Amino acid sequence: MTPTFKTIGIIGRVKTPGVKDTLKALITFLLSLKQKFIIDSESAESLNDSSLPTVPRSKLGKSCDLLIVVGGDGSLLHAAHAVINDETPVLGINRGSLGFLTDILPTQLAKIKDILSGKYILEKRFLLSSHIKLNDKIIGQDDALNEVAIIPDAVPHMIEFEIYIDGKFVYSQDSDGLIVATPTGSTAYALSGGGPILHPQLDAIVLVPMFPHSLNNRPIVVEGDRKISIIISPNNTTSPCLSCDGRAYINTPPGSHITIHKKSKSLHLIHPLD
């Protein structure tokens, strides 16, 4: 058998119950196949096995041909950011609760053998890139697989902002914030905010207002190639925050211009044939 993937990268959400046991079982399984693998340093440290080949998480994308993530959808989401620029395919072993993205159970490791021999489905999910400018200077940027969210700072309050799509004014709004989500993210934070579920293969973006101070503001679905611009009104007395996939919070002072558009590189997800 000629392997489709020469080197397998491994990441585990080690704080999740059961993940260490699944990591050990996965490593044993790959060794039985004489499959070359490498594990991220943090995951390897939790296993207390100095014989494991390791690499810093930031270098995983350039060190492997397939990344296997052991954990839930959130684990896969965060691990994907480490390899997205290399477009390394990602496979999830589900130790979480939902499993929208991670679809191999810990008892189904045998399915990995078929995947390694080339029997799999490859699915591509697009991401969003966001840039924040203030006085024509970039003050922050980040990417999101699920959503870009504009939220209040430590103290909840209404945020005043304007939305433009491809440079055309859509509306101004007073609300607790705004969620701009991909189809992947439509089943996450955006769904909790009252947004629609989008089929994963739709080329579309959904804008979901958060508790708008209005009777007629509703989610808006636009084509995936549209550029969304958001201007934080100078009338705001505090600085809202921008968050991508619930990660680092970036301050967006009054007068900030936020641009959100589709990222040129996508997440490559691997699924079993069934």
Side-chain angles (χ1 to χ4, degrees), residues 5 91 104 111-120 270 272:
F5 306 105
L91 172 68
I104 289 184
K111 289 187 176 184
I112 295 176
K113 184 176 181 180
D114 287 336
I115 290 171
L116 296 180
S117 65
K119 300 175 183 177
Y120 59 83
I270 296 287

Side-chain angles (χ1 to χ4, degrees), residues 72-73 94-99:
D73 287 341
N94 187 18
R95 292 295 327 204
S97 56
L98 293 177

Side-chain angles (χ1 to χ4, degrees), residues 81-193:
H81 283 280
V83 300
I84 196 67
N85 287 323
D86 299 294
E87 294 191 314
T88 303
V90 180
L91 172 68
I93 297 177
N94 187 18
R95 292 295 327 204
S97 56
L98 293 177
F100 280 115
L101 304 174
T102 52
D103 47 15
I104 289 184
L105 296 175
T107 55
Q108 299 174 330
L109 295 185
K111 289 187 176 184
I112 295 176
K113 184 176 181 180
D114 287 336
I115 290 171
L116 296 180
S117 65
K119 300 175 183 177
Y120 59 83
I121 298 168
L122 175 63
E123 179 188 18
K124 296 183 180 181
R125 304 281 185 100
F126 74 82
L127 292 88
L128 297 174
S129 285
S130 61
H131 297 78
I132 307 166
K133 281 187 175 182
L134 182 64
N135 299 324
D136 292 326
K137 293 182 179 180
I138 294 180
I139 60 173
Q141 58 188 55
D142 203 356
D143 298 331
L145 175 62
N146 270 354
E147 76 282 311
V148 178
I150 299 169
I151 57 177
D153 56 13
V155 180
H157 55 80
M158 300 291 279
I159 304 169
E160 183 180 340
F161 55 90
E162 296 179 349
I163 297 176
Y164 296 78
I165 297 177
D166 286 347
K168 297 180 180 179
F169 178 74
V170 179
Y171 59 70
S172 58
Q173 186 175 98
D174 288 298
S175 69
D176 279 7
L178 180 73
I179 303 168
V180 182
T182 65
T184 302
S186 70
T187 57
Y189 195 18
L191 181 65
S192 301

Side-chain angles (χ1 to χ4, degrees), residues 4-273:
T4 302
F5 306 105
K6 293 181 179 179
T7 304
I8 308 301
I10 302 173
I11 288 180
R13 183 70 175 269
V14 293
K15 294 181 180 180
T16 301
V19 165
K20 287 185 182 180
D21 291 337
T22 302
L23 279 174
K24 293 176 182 177
L26 174 61
I27 290 169
T28 300
F29 181 74
L30 294 177
L31 287 171
S32 72
L33 298 178
K34 296 182 171 52
Q35 172 68 54
K36 183 181 178 181
F37 67 89
I38 195 162
I39 184 169
D40 93 288
S41 304
E42 183 181 338
S43 302
E45 184 178 354
S46 71
L47 298 177
N48 296 318
D49 186 347
S50 59
S51 68
L52 294 173
T54 64
V55 68
R57 183 168 297 195
S58 60
K59 296 183 179 180
L60 262 177
K62 298 188 183 301
S63 305
C64 66
D65 308 300
L66 170 68
L67 177 65
I68 298 180
V69 181
V70 181
D73 287 341
S75 303
L76 187 143
L77 184 71
H78 285 84
H81 283 280
V83 300
I84 196 67
N85 287 323
D86 299 294
E87 294 191 314
T88 303
V90 180
L91 172 68
I93 297 177
N94 187 18
R95 292 295 327 204
S97 56
L98 293 177
F100 280 115
L101 304 174
T102 52
D103 47 15
I104 289 184
L105 296 175
T107 55
Q108 299 174 330
L109 295 185
K111 289 187 176 184
I112 295 176
K113 184 176 181 180
D114 287 336
I115 290 171
L116 296 180
S117 65
K119 300 175 183 177
Y120 59 83
I121 298 168
L122 175 63
E123 179 188 18
K124 296 183 180 181
R125 304 281 185 100
F126 74 82
L127 292 88
L128 297 174
S129 285
S130 61
H131 297 78
I132 307 166
K133 281 187 175 182
L134 182 64
N135 299 324
D136 292 326
K137 293 182 179 180
I138 294 180
I139 60 173
Q141 58 188 55
D142 203 356
D143 298 331
L145 175 62
N146 270 354
E147 76 282 311
V148 178
I150 299 169
I151 57 177
D153 56 13
V155 180
H157 55 80
M158 300 291 279
I159 304 169
E160 183 180 340
F161 55 90
E162 296 179 349
I163 297 176
Y164 296 78
I165 297 177
D166 286 347
K168 297 180 180 179
F169 178 74
V170 179
Y171 59 70
S172 58
Q173 186 175 98
D174 288 298
S175 69
D176 279 7
L178 180 73
I179 303 168
V180 182
T182 65
T184 302
S186 70
T187 57
Y189 195 18
L191 181 65
S192 301
I197 295 176
L198 304 183
H199 187 279
Q201 295 306 307
L202 273 179
D203 185 12
I205 299 171
V206 61
L207 287 72
V208 182
M210 300 168 61
F211 303 103
H213 189 62
S214 170
L215 295 176
N216 57 6
N217 278 113
R218 295 291 183 267
I220 297 175
V221 178
V222 300
E223 293 174 276
D225 290 326
R226 300 298 183 186
K227 184 176 78 172
I228 298 163
S229 302
I230 302 161
I231 299 177
I232 305 300
S233 172
N235 297 330
N236 288 284
T237 56
T238 59
S239 297
C241 293
L242 182 141
S243 169
C244 291
D245 290 343
R247 302 194 305 162
Y249 296 94
I250 306 170
N251 284 331
T252 59
S256 296
H257 287 225
I258 301 167
T259 302
I260 301 170
H261 59 85
K262 184 190 293 184
K263 186 177 174 68
S264 60
K265 295 187 176 181
S266 58
L267 171 65
H268 293 199
L269 284 176
I270 296 287
H271 303 286
L273 290 179

